[in-house]
């Protein structure tokens, strides 16, 4: 279950981010994507205000989900797990590395998920 997510996509839906934005509070997850959903953004600046906490993970992708956040400029920081991928999902950062997404705890993958 997603719990509280600031962006949620499931059942083969999609969310495309075309402009920068600010994250002003924490949640269980910033992005929750499941069941073949797609969340994507590239080239934006995303500002985190006041070090928000994400109690589940900043990005959670499960059950064949695809989350692609590439070439993002992150301004500010967050606490919590960076990512959690499961169920053959993909979290694509275009080589952004393990610390690319906001958070202060390492991300995890299981059951065929990939973090790229």
């Amino acid at each position: 279950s997603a719990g509280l997510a600031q962006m949620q996509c499931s059942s083969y839906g999609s969310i495309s981010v075309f402009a920068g934005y600010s994250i002003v509070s924490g949640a269980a997850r910033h992005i929750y994507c499941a069941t073949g959903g797609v969340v994507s953004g590239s080239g934006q600046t995303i500002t985190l205000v006041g070090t928000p906490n994400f109690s589940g993970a900043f990005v959670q992708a499960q059950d064949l989900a695809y989350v692609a956040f590439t070439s993002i400029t992150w301004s500010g920081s967050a606490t919590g797990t960076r990512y959690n991928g499961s169920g053959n999902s993909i979290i694509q950062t275009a080589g952004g590395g393990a610390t690319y997404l906001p958070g202060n705890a390492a991300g995890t993958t299981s059951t065929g998920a990939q973090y790229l």
Side-chain angles (χ1 to χ4, degrees):
S1 132
L4 177 61
Q6 294 166 328
M7 269 191 248
Q8 182 170 323
C9 184
S10 61
S11 300
Y12 303 96
S14 66
I15 297 172
S16 297
V17 177
F18 293 107
Y21 61 91
S22 295
I23 301 168
V24 299
S25 66
R29 291 150 191 83
H30 178 58
I31 296 171
Y32 174 79
C33 190
T35 318
V38 176
V39 177
S40 63
S42 182
Q44 296 83 12
T45 296
I46 300 174
T47 302
L48 294 97
V49 178
T51 316
N53 177 263
F54 296 92
S55 59
F58 188 78
V59 171
Q60 181 172 346
Q62 64 187 51
D63 302 328
L64 300 173
Y66 181 71
V67 176
F69 260 40
T70 60
S71 302
I72 301 293
T73 299
W74 302 102
S75 176
S77 61
T79 58
T81 301
R82 289 182 170 93
Y83 60 89
N84 182 333
S86 64
N88 294 317
S89 294
I90 295 174
I91 300 171
Q92 175 65 263
T93 67
T99 61
Y100 173 74
L101 294 170
N104 64 347
T108 62
T109 58
S110 63
T111 59
Q114 297 183 53
Y115 178 86
L116 310 169

